[in-house]
């Protein structure tokens, strides 16, 4: 059995201008980043944005009370139905045609997220 106490991951990198711009666009499209404190890819995703840009991201911690393997979490209610098969998980609520756009799980570069927003006219 694995038991992990919740430990927030600090964002320590500086934000680029592009990261701030993309974070603002993600915020305007009501995007949410679902993650887990124990997920190394989630930690990397946060660092891609940097301190200033990450404050604009709607981040949802899926395990705010820690993780217990025998309980399979417990996962935060906000994450139920929004996380597919891994972390990080991005969901853009105001996607094309006003429908949510669920991205495949995994870390995305700032440029990759910018491209997704542009392709979907967001």
């Amino acid at each position: 059995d694995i038991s992990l106490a919740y430990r927030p991951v600090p964002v320590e990198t500086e934000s680029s201008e592009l990261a701030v711009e993309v974070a603002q666009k993600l915020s305007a499209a009501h995007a949410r980043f679902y993650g887990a404190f124990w997920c190394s890819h989630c930690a990397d995703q946060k660092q891609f944005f940097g301190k200033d840009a990450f404050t604009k991201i709607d981040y949802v911690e899926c395990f705010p009370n820690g993780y217990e393997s025998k309980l399979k979490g417990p996962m935060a209610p906000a994450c139920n139905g929004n996380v597919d098969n891994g972390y990080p998980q991005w969901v853009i609520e105001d996607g094309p045609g006003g429908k949510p756009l669920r991205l495949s799980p995994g870390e995305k570069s700032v440029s990759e997220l910018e491209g997704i927003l542009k392709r979907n006219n967001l």
Side-chain angles (χ1 to χ4, degrees):
D1 290 340
I2 297 172
S3 179
L4 300 172
Y6 173 69
R7 192 184 76 237
V9 176
V11 180
E12 299 175 335
T13 57
E14 296 300 319
S15 299
S16 67
E17 285 183 35
L18 177 62
V20 172
E21 284 177 33
V22 171
Q24 289 169 332
K25 289 177 183 177
L26 287 165
S27 178
H30 300 103
R32 284 193 185 91
F33 162 20
Y34 295 90
F37 71 95
W38 43 261
C39 166
S40 63
H41 297 289
C42 297
D44 291 344
Q45 183 74 82
K46 291 176 180 183
Q47 302 309 324
F48 290 163
F49 279 97
K51 287 183 265 190
D52 294 335
F54 194 72
T55 64
K56 296 164 182 27
I57 299 294
D58 186 359
Y59 174 72
V60 179
E61 173 57 55
C62 291
F63 298 92
N65 298 315
Y67 179 80
E68 298 282 337
S69 62
K70 64 183 173 187
L71 301 175
K72 295 193 179 0
M75 187 182 287
C79 297
N80 290 326
N82 286 309
V83 176
D84 288 334
N85 227 358
Y87 301 97
Q89 176 73 62
W90 285 93
V91 178
I92 301 172
E93 293 298 328
D94 294 343
K99 296 179 182 171
L101 175 62
R102 184 181 313 275
L103 306 184
S104 60
E107 57 191 77
K108 310 279 187 271
S109 70
V110 171
S111 297
E112 189 176 357
L113 288 165
E114 179 189 37
I116 290 166
L117 291 168
K118 282 183 179 177
R119 282 192 303 279
N120 289 283
N121 297 314
L122 302 172

